[in-house]
Amino acid sequence: MQTVETLNEGLKRAYRLTIPAKDISARVDAELKSVAPQVRMPGFRPGKVPANLVRKMHGPALEQQALESAVQEGVQKLLAEQNLRPAMTPSVALEEAGQGKDAIVTVEVETLPDVPAASIEGLKLERLTVPVSDDMLDEAAQRLAQGQKSFDPAPAAHKAAMGDLVVMDFEGKVDGEPFEGGKGEGMSIELGSGRLIPGFEDQLVGVKANDEKQVKVTFPQEYPVAYLKGRDAVFEVVVNEVQTARDVKADDSFAQSMGLEGIAQLRDLLKNQVEQELNGLTRTHMKRQLLDQLAAAHDFPVPQSMVDAEFDQIWRQLEHEASHEEDPAAARAEMESERGDYRAIAERRVRLGLLLSEIGQKNGVEVNQQEMNALVMQAAQQYRPEDRQRFVEYIRSEPMAAAQLRAPLYEDKVVDFLFGKAEIGDREVTRDALQEAIESEEGHVHGPGCGHDHHDHDHGAKPVLSDAAGGVEGPKKDAAKKPAAKADAVEAPAEKPTKKVAAKKADASEKADAPAKKPAAKKAPAKKA
């Protein structure tokens, strides 16, 4: 094989490979010898079909197979010989090929950068802690009680308000025509729950029992039924009944209804839950400070293909959010005006992902087999019982999927290692002050190249950091398919996100992705509904 480098700019490389025709022919001959004994043809004994007839029957397919294997082997040999570490799957194109001809292949690849030695000395962090108060426990107990609330029929003249339950019949039409799944009877919906498509519940405020109401809505662009996406619809609603929520108090009786001795035992159980939640917020704030300092102290080129992939992920989430805003057009216009800011966030995330991966490798951070087994078993619980073993086998056979599963724990371990290196000062604050520190840009430690803007806030984004060099994000699992619209056509396709959620997810201060995305060869089993 002849190799000629045609491009060498920054992290981008391009090559022209020439695979001799004789090499491809030799592969075809070897395959013919392999398959000939299994060929069956009328008039010939098994294994005695003449070679020329075997070639006539199977030659084209074998030549294609030989060409593909030669190209694949040639690309792998190129990567090894040139000591290339691809950031993303190389782009391979066949320029010229044919029977008796040399195969000419072009290969374009963007490589991972040589990450400079990380500067991890002199890190200074502030740990904001919040003591658990009686008021917090009272609030948590009352929230739990509200979640168990029941409803009583309201007086006939009562007008439905947010928090009330409306029992209704409905029939929807698009362009004046009924559509499948657009009709339902006796459906109960708590106003303000966000279960229905945007705008539906708001228009039921003020209705009374036996009222008839015309509700006009627009199906979201991400609605799972293709022919309804973005379509305007009119629903004729008949209100059967309005119910009001019964007051539920967090007292001994409520606790005993849950099988506990009394409210004191419930508060003890809730205290541990509240402590875990507050500790999570404390860690989020510390992690943000840590990654801000790392971003400020390290600047190196990153593969634009990685940045493009990360930006596309951010942008898709932003578009999803915009479709749920009161004025989707205005939300999209705002997005476009800040496109450069979001791209800077994507670049920062890629850089931090590569940096954390390098720090972990250089300092022996790893996820051991016992921890990995626990992760696999935990993830398998998301699937139907009959699919769990297939999921386990899928993870074992697909390194990219295993890397994605391992990534969050690996990132946490790298962060914990860096916490151990940092000088940490403690300060007790209120919960509101801690929340404000997380949400406010003034709560960040800024520096050159941070890539921050006023949207970078996220304390819930999942990290996707691999401990492989130039980490990878593995394949996404297929979601359980939702059936075509039936009586739930008015149901929202997803919970309505809070404003700027996608931008929050874009914050590398909390999510330090190493986002090289490579497709897996197999699909994971569909998650249970």
Side-chain angles (χ1 to χ4, degrees):
M1 182 181 73
Q2 181 184 2
T3 303
V4 177
E5 185 177 69
T6 58
L7 176 67
N8 188 333
E9 293 180 0
L11 300 176
K12 294 183 179 180
R13 304 286 185 275
Y15 301 87
R16 179 187 294 266
L17 309 182
T18 302
I19 303 173
K22 62 179 182 179
D23 290 351
I24 299 173
S25 179
R27 288 173 182 267
V28 174
D29 291 342
E31 285 298 318
L32 282 170
K33 289 181 181 179
S34 175
V35 303
Q38 285 80 44
V39 174
R40 299 289 186 270
M41 184 178 289
F44 298 94
R45 286 181 295 167
K48 299 299 182 180
V49 179
N52 64 322
L53 292 180
V54 176
R55 181 180 291 273
K56 184 176 181 180
M57 290 174 59
H58 301 287
L62 293 177
E63 286 174 6
Q64 182 64 30
Q65 182 178 329
L67 177 61
E68 290 176 358
S69 64
V71 170
Q72 184 176 14
E73 187 177 301
V75 172
Q76 294 302 319
K77 184 177 180 182
L78 167 70
L79 298 178
E81 289 179 348
Q82 300 294 327
N83 195 27
L84 300 175
R85 297 188 304 155
M88 303 284 277
T89 304
S91 172
V92 180
L94 186 64
E95 281 197 355
E96 186 177 331
Q99 190 171 12
K101 292 183 178 181
D102 294 345
I104 300 177
V105 180
T106 58
V107 180
E108 297 178 356
V109 60
E110 192 168 22
T111 64
L112 290 169
D114 292 325
V115 180
S119 175
I120 60 176
E121 303 299 330
L123 294 170
K124 293 184 179 182
L125 306 175
E126 184 177 37
R127 180 163 45 211
L128 303 183
T129 58
V130 181
V132 178
S133 67
D134 288 341
D135 287 344
M136 290 181 187
L137 296 181
D138 290 341
E139 183 182 342
Q142 191 58 39
R143 280 200 308 268
L144 184 62
Q146 287 299 317
Q148 306 294 323
K149 63 185 176 184
S150 56
F151 293 85
D152 295 320
H158 177 79
K159 295 182 178 181
M162 285 296 176
D164 288 349
L165 193 76
V166 173
V167 183
M168 63 181 180
D169 300 336
F170 62 89
E171 182 175 14
K173 296 181 180 180
V174 172
D175 294 335
E177 295 294 328
F179 55 90
E180 183 183 358
K183 185 175 182 178
E185 295 181 354
M187 181 179 185
S188 297
I189 183 68
E190 181 181 350
L191 301 188
S193 65
R195 278 183 52 204
L196 304 188
I197 52 182
F200 201 111
E201 294 172 32
D202 295 338
Q203 296 178 60
L204 295 179
V205 172
V207 299
K208 303 186 302 294
N210 300 318
D211 278 357
E212 296 183 4
K213 177 80 173 181
Q214 192 176 77
V215 176
K216 298 179 180 180
V217 294
T218 301
F219 281 94
Q221 289 293 338
E222 69 276 11
Y223 197 75
V225 181
Y227 70 88
L228 293 177
K229 291 181 179 180
R231 302 285 297 277
D232 293 330
V234 177
F235 285 85
E236 300 293 343
V237 175
V238 177
V239 179
N240 299 329
E241 187 179 16
V242 177
Q243 300 179 7
T244 55
R246 184 186 305 165
D247 286 338
V248 182
K249 293 183 179 180
D251 53 16
D252 285 335
S253 296
F254 172 70
Q256 289 164 4
S257 72
M258 300 182 69
L260 303 176
E261 294 177 0
I263 190 63
Q265 185 180 7
L266 175 59
R267 286 167 63 90
D268 286 341
L269 295 174
L270 289 173
K271 183 177 181 180
N272 183 57
Q273 179 181 324
V274 173
E275 284 177 341
Q276 290 181 2
E277 181 184 351
L278 294 174
N279 290 339
L281 294 176
T282 295
R283 179 183 173 85
T284 291
H285 183 247
M286 285 180 62
K287 184 176 178 182
R288 171 136 326 127
Q289 296 173 70
L290 171 69
L291 295 181
D292 277 349
Q293 291 183 45
L294 290 176
H298 301 85
D299 189 18
F300 52 88
V302 295
Q304 287 306 301
S305 54
M306 278 187 166
V307 176
D308 291 343
E310 195 63 38
F311 175 78
D312 288 345
Q313 178 181 329
I314 294 170
W315 202 253
R316 282 195 301 271
Q317 183 61 26
L318 284 168
E319 289 178 330
H320 170 80
E321 272 187 44
S323 67
H324 285 78
E325 294 291 345
E326 293 181 3
D327 187 346
R332 290 190 178 94
E334 183 182 358
M335 283 168 48
E336 289 293 344
S337 70
E338 297 171 344
R339 180 182 284 267
D341 293 335
Y342 290 119
R343 187 163 186 86
I345 291 171
E347 182 172 327
R348 170 188 157 100
R349 284 167 63 167
V350 171
R351 184 175 290 108
L352 278 170
L354 294 173
L355 181 62
L356 285 181
S357 182
E358 189 73 10
I359 291 172
Q361 292 177 69
K362 290 289 178 62
N363 292 280
V365 177
E366 61 180 17
V367 174
N368 61 42
Q369 191 57 51
Q370 184 177 356
E371 291 169 328
M372 189 62 194
N373 290 341
L375 287 174
V376 174
M377 292 300 104
Q378 183 180 8
Q381 299 307 309
Q382 302 175 68
Y383 296 86
R384 294 183 290 265
E386 61 270 23
D387 286 335
R388 289 171 187 169
Q389 184 57 38
R390 190 156 63 94
F391 170 77
V392 172
E393 293 170 357
Y394 165 75
I395 293 295
R396 288 173 178 167
S397 64
E398 292 296 329
M400 297 302 102
Q404 183 183 19
L405 186 62
R406 180 175 56 241
L409 178 58
Y410 182 77
E411 180 174 303
D412 281 343
K413 297 187 80 166
V414 175
V415 168
D416 286 337
F417 167 79
L418 292 171
F419 283 168
K421 288 283 187 181
E423 178 185 332
I424 300 176
D426 290 287
R427 180 161 63 96
E428 193 173 287
V429 297
T430 65
R431 180 182 181 129
D432 288 344
L434 178 54
Q435 290 275 18
E436 185 179 350
I438 290 172
E439 295 170 2
S440 169
E441 94 178 76
E442 283 78 20
H444 290 206
V445 181
H446 286 240
C450 279
H452 278 296
D453 71 355
H454 53 287
H455 302 302
D456 320 7
H457 310 302
D458 173 28
H459 51 83
K462 71 175 179 64
V464 187
L465 173 65
S466 170
D467 52 343
V472 293
E473 179 174 317
K476 300 291 187 294
K477 302 179 185 70
D478 291 343
K481 291 183 179 179
K482 180 170 181 169
K486 294 184 181 177
D488 63 349
V490 293
E491 298 264 359
E495 182 178 332
K496 183 175 179 179
T498 56
K499 192 172 184 180
K500 300 299 181 188
V501 169
K504 293 178 182 179
K505 289 188 176 180
D507 180 15
S509 297
E510 176 60 18
K511 178 183 177 184
D513 290 22
K517 298 177 175 65
K518 298 182 182 180
K522 302 176 183 176
K523 285 187 177 181
K527 285 185 180 179
K528 64 185 179 183

